[in-house]
Amino acid sequence: MFSEQTTAYAKTVLAKAGEAGLMVATAESCTGGLVAASLTEIAGSSSVVDRGFVTYSNHTKMQMLGVPEKVLADHCAVSEQKARAMATGAITNSDASVAVSITGIAGPGGGSAEKPVGLVHFAAARADGVVLHVERRFGDLGRDGVRQAALDQALQLLSDILDA
């Protein structure tokens, strides 16, 4: 179902989280649950994966993750602030100690000069308050290409926060 590279990233995340005794949550927008699916594709993932939030609308981000309305109003749909709020909200609203979030513009429409198709913000958070952020401008790779690139980046960031 997933590429060999994606599966390798997912296995690394599961191994690191398992060794540390940590549960993982995902908070996804433009990837629509692909990160959670890539992790749960692997047998034994239930000992590490707590849950995945697919929060496509802003209302759902507020309702399920507790993203403050002010963050959405002040920083729009695709921003570092929103990604950080989604990741920390996933920890607050789950039994996980580590979470990753993704918010971006997969296309084909929805982009602008300031926020083009392919712009994706990621955040990974730990329960101890450490948060990492990555912004990627993948370009217009097509919807599937942006989502695949975002999936792999999210898994890499999740691996990084498990090392931090």
Side-chain angles (χ1 to χ4, degrees), residues 127-140:
D128 65 4
V130 172
V131 181
L132 303 177
H133 168 259
V134 171
E135 175 187 320
R136 291 285 183 256
R137 292 177 181 258
F138 296 116
D140 192 354

Side-chain angles (χ1 to χ4, degrees), residues 8-120:
Y9 290 148
K11 286 180 177 179
T12 298
V13 167
L14 293 173
K16 288 179 180 182
E19 289 170 14
L22 300 175
M23 296 296 286
V24 174
T26 64
E28 302 180 62
S29 187
C30 69
T31 49
L34 290 174
V35 178
S38 73
L39 293 169
T40 59
E41 178 78 8
I42 298 165
S45 59
S46 61
S47 64
V48 172
V49 179
D50 179 61
R51 70 191 75 190
F53 298 93
V54 177
T55 56
Y56 221 67
S57 72
N58 283 339
H59 173 75
T60 305
K61 288 172 182 69
M62 291 185 294
Q63 182 184 52
M64 294 179 72
L65 298 172
V67 174
E69 188 171 1
K70 183 163 177 51
V71 168
L72 298 172
D74 291 353
H75 301 287
C76 86
V78 179
S79 67
E80 175 180 351
Q81 295 83 356
K82 183 175 175 184
R84 287 175 176 271
M86 288 172 64
T88 57
I91 290 174
T92 300
N93 294 287
S94 73
D95 294 327
S97 300
V98 178
V100 67
S101 70
I102 304 114
T103 182
I105 304 167
S112 68
E114 285 183 16
K115 299 201 182 257
V117 169
L119 171 64
V120 185

